[in-house]
Amino acid sequence: MFCRLQPNVDTRQKQLAAWCSLVLSYCRQRKLYTLDVLEAQESPVFNNKKIERKLSVEAIQVVFEELRKKGNLEWLDKNKSRCLIMWRRPEEWGKLIYQWVSKNGMVNSVFTLYELSNGDDTENEEFHGLEDWMLLRSLQALQTDGKAEIISMDDGKGVKFF
């Protein structure tokens, strides 16, 4: 049953893997980057209203902890009630952004963070609408790889691609 965690270790691992996949797919489809455990409990992922069953907050935290171990989640507080969800890791976002920059001949160009995540030119790209914290981490990953440099600008931060 999906409405409670299974006691058998093998079954539980398969169940947690399925939950993790479901949570990441749900967040990706809705472009969610932050989650609240109590709000998540009311979402269709953890709450089946037809049969009036939902996963407990404790069980949801176990699922989220599994996502944290896999590098897809970071807790925002000590109580583990809110988290950042990374259905795509910063390195993966960085790769997508750099592919777009290269494909459009924009290497050696400077962009504001707003232009990248909300500009007209990126409207049809997967990274359009990316939250600032994830965009910045993605650009930091590119900076580590020597493909970009994050710079300060009058109105905030920008990035130059190499």
Side-chain angles (χ1 to χ4, degrees):
M1 182 75 214
F2 241 39
C3 290
R4 67 180 190 279
L5 292 175
Q6 297 298 307
N8 178 286
V9 176
D10 292 338
T11 306
R12 186 182 185 124
Q13 280 309 111
K14 288 176 187 167
Q15 182 189 36
L16 283 173
W19 273 115
C20 289
S21 176
L22 186 63
V23 169
L24 293 175
S25 294
Y26 177 81
C27 291
R28 182 180 191 157
Q29 182 182 22
R30 287 167 180 73
K31 288 196 168 195
L32 298 175
Y33 301 98
T34 54
L35 291 174
D36 178 280
V37 174
L38 293 176
E39 289 174 15
Q41 189 185 31
E42 298 305 318
S43 75
V45 175
F46 298 114
N47 185 356
N48 187 333
K49 291 183 178 180
K50 285 184 181 176
I51 62 170
E52 297 180 13
R53 300 280 310 264
K54 63 181 161 185
L55 202 60
S56 70
V57 169
E58 296 78 17
I60 292 170
Q61 285 177 323
V62 170
V63 173
F64 283 8
E65 191 58 27
E66 188 70 15
L67 284 165
R68 186 196 62 77
K69 289 176 190 171
K70 294 178 178 197
N72 295 107
L73 181 145
E74 283 181 23
W75 292 109
L76 289 171
D77 60 354
K78 289 180 182 176
N79 297 332
K80 297 183 178 182
S81 63
R82 291 189 53 74
C83 60
L84 299 175
I85 189 83
M86 293 174 268
W87 38 272
R88 181 173 274 145
R89 291 194 184 91
E91 299 78 17
E92 296 171 276
W93 283 117
K95 187 176 179 183
L96 279 178
I97 292 167
Y98 196 78
Q99 285 172 349
W100 175 80
V101 167
S102 298
K103 179 178 73 180
N104 289 289
M106 296 181 185
V107 173
N108 293 318
S109 297
V110 175
F111 296 88
T112 64
L113 299 190
Y114 182 85
E115 286 174 311
L116 277 178
S117 62
N118 298 294
D120 293 341
D121 292 340
T122 64
E123 204 165 13
N124 296 321
E125 302 301 320
E126 272 193 84
F127 58 86
H128 187 83
L130 196 59
E131 289 190 1
D132 286 348
W133 67 269
M134 180 57 90
L135 178 61
L136 205 50
R137 287 185 187 191
S138 304
L139 297 173
Q140 287 166 341
L142 287 174
Q143 185 169 271
T144 300
D145 291 345
K147 294 181 176 178
E149 180 184 359
I150 299 168
I151 55 177
S152 293
M153 301 174 80
D154 292 339
D155 55 350
K157 291 188 191 278
V159 62
K160 180 174 183 174
F161 293 97
F162 306 110

